Structure formats: C-alpha cells, structure tokens
Amino acid sequence: GAGVSQSPSNKVTEKGKDVELRCDPISGHTALYWYRQRLGQGLEFLIYFQGNSAPDKSGLPSDRFSAERTGESVSTLTIQRTQQEDSAVYLCASSLHLAGQETQYFGPGTRLLVL
Amino acid sequence: KQEVTQIPAALSVPEGENLVLNCSFTDSAIYNLQWFRQDPGKGLTSLLLIQSSQREQTSGRLNASLDKSSGRSTLYIAASQPGDSATYLCAVWGRGSTLGRLYFGRGTQLTVWP
C-alpha cells in the first residue's frame, strides 16, 4: 500500500499570500500529525488529529496557521498572510493510533519558500 | 518544555567504523523514544522505537539504548557503510498532556566515505 503523500512537493509564494498544504495519510491510520522543519532547526510539532477527538493545536505558532482533517482521511494545513519566517519544510505523518507505542510514518514533505 | 539535544552535529568517517550517536533529553517523563533517518528530499524513516520500560532495541547493525533516569539514548551503528550516510534524528514521545507529540533533536549528519 501507498505511504503518506503530500502535495505540492514544492511551493514558492509571495509574502502576504495564503497557501494550502495537503496530506494523504496511510489508509486506516486514525492519527495524523503536522510538523515544521526550518533550515538548521529540528522538527517542531504543530498539530495532531486523532479520530473524531478535538485536535491538539497547541503547537501552531500563530493564528495565521490552521488545519483541518476530513474524518480519518485527507488533512489540509493552511497558512494565511504568509511571512518569510514561514519558509520551511512541512512534514505530515500518520500512525495507526495515537498512543506512542506505534511508529509514525512520514511523508516526503512540502518545501515552502516565502519571498 | 522537553528539549532534545544530539551530539555530534556532524560526523564523517571511513567505511567500516563503528559509530555512536548521542541523544539527551531534559524531561525523563517520556512515553517512548524513537530514532529516525532522514535522507535529502525524502521523509523520515523510523529505525528503532524503544518503549519507556525497555533499555535497548536492536535491528540489524543498529542498536539503540535508553537510560530514562539520566535522560540519555545512544544509537550504535556497527560496520558503517556509505549507504548509512544520512541525518539521524532522535525524538521522544510526550506523555500525559503532551501525549501524541514527538520532540525532535536537530540531528547528527553522518557521512560514511568509501
């Protein structure tokens, strides 16, 4: 079966524009996670979804960031009024369940450059 | 907030050497610890997951140990090969109110030359 997929693979945008990043998790995985990796930095947790529970949004850096997930499938991360500091690789991961006894499977990431 | 540190930041060795990568974390109240490999242009690949009740895990030439009380983990790579060249990331799982979050170190960039 397919792994986690993300689109687009690369995105260049102008400061102030909105962008949408998409993640398709592995089929059947109830938990979905978003991370950000800025140049020279470690991965930062942004948000996770677990089934029908309210998502943990505590990692979102500002109210310009939002994410949605349709059931246990596709998720979209939206960044409004992009800033240059938003330039990073945005990684999505999924796991069968939320509990930390299972590995997270990562997608290839979306490389976002804000000019 | 959990802080994860990896040492060294970069390592360059000839093929065949045995290697030790170090990871430390500030809050010992972790759920599990996981080592990943990151290749350029690709996502992360899980190498080993150590549950908090375990002290080590082995997979092929890789062995990871965990000492929760001291907040340390090591990844041992035996008989390194050029194909091992990648960035190795250590991550700890939060528990309680932070369950579901992985806290990552900045990684060790490994180069193995023939």
Side-chain angles (χ1 to χ4, degrees):
Chain A
V4 178
S5 61
Q6 293 185 244
S7 61
S9 54
N10 293 281
K11 176 71 176 179
V12 181
T13 190
E14 295 179 348
K15 178 181 174 181
K17 301 280 189 181
D18 297 351
V19 296
E20 280 191 355
L21 312 179
R22 176 188 169 106
C23 172
D24 285 88
I26 293 173
S27 178
H29 280 194
T30 64
L32 185 148
Y33 315 79
W34 283 98
Y35 295 88
R36 175 173 73 174
Q37 187 175 30
R38 289 188 280 193
L39 189 64
Q41 305 293 316
L43 275 79
E44 304 170 71
F45 165 81
L46 296 178
I47 186 172
Y48 75 71
F49 298 87
Q50 167 60 32
N52 295 319
S53 302
D56 179 349
K57 304 180 180 181
S58 59
L60 295 177
S62 78
D63 59 7
R64 296 186 295 105
F65 287 72
S66 63
E68 294 182 349
R69 187 180 186 193
T70 307
E72 293 185 353
S73 60
V74 172
S75 176
T76 302
L77 177 68
T78 302
I79 309 173
Q80 296 178 308
R81 304 180 303 282
T82 52
Q83 303 293 314
Q84 289 181 334
E85 62 262 28
D86 298 334
S87 296
V89 176
Y90 290 81
L91 289 159
C92 174
S94 70
S95 64
L96 190 58
H97 301 296
L98 176 62
Q101 295 182 15
E102 299 159 11
T103 192
Q104 294 185 6
Y105 295 88
F106 281 78
T110 293
R111 284 153 191 79
L112 174 66
L113 177 62
V114 182
L115 300 176
Chain B
K1 181 185 173 184
Q2 178 76 266
E3 299 286 344
V4 181
T5 303
Q6 291 187 246
I7 295 173
L11 188 59
S12 181
V13 299
E15 180 177 9
E17 284 208 359
N18 299 323
L19 309 171
V20 176
L21 308 182
N22 296 292
C23 172
S24 61
F25 46 95
T26 54
D27 186 352
S28 62
I30 65 170
Y31 200 78
N32 295 318
L33 183 142
Q34 199 160 356
W35 283 92
F36 292 87
R37 168 183 174 139
Q38 185 174 31
D39 294 278
K42 298 182 180 180
L44 278 64
T45 302
S46 178
L47 298 173
L48 292 165
L49 185 150
I50 310 177
Q51 298 184 16
S52 59
S53 58
Q54 298 175 323
R55 293 192 65 86
E56 67 177 331
Q57 278 285 337
T58 298
S59 176
R61 294 183 293 107
L62 304 179
N63 175 276
S65 67
L66 173 64
D67 184 344
K68 259 184 55 174
S69 60
S70 67
R72 295 176 189 272
S73 175
T74 59
L75 179 67
Y76 178 81
I77 303 175
S80 58
Q81 302 171 358
D84 294 332
S85 298
T87 298
Y88 290 81
L89 298 172
C90 170
V92 297
W93 285 83
R95 65 183 307 146
S97 63
T98 61
L99 183 67
R101 300 181 209 168
L102 274 174
Y103 296 90
F104 284 85
R106 295 189 181 187
T108 294
Q109 187 172 356
L110 174 64
T111 303
V112 181
W113 38 278

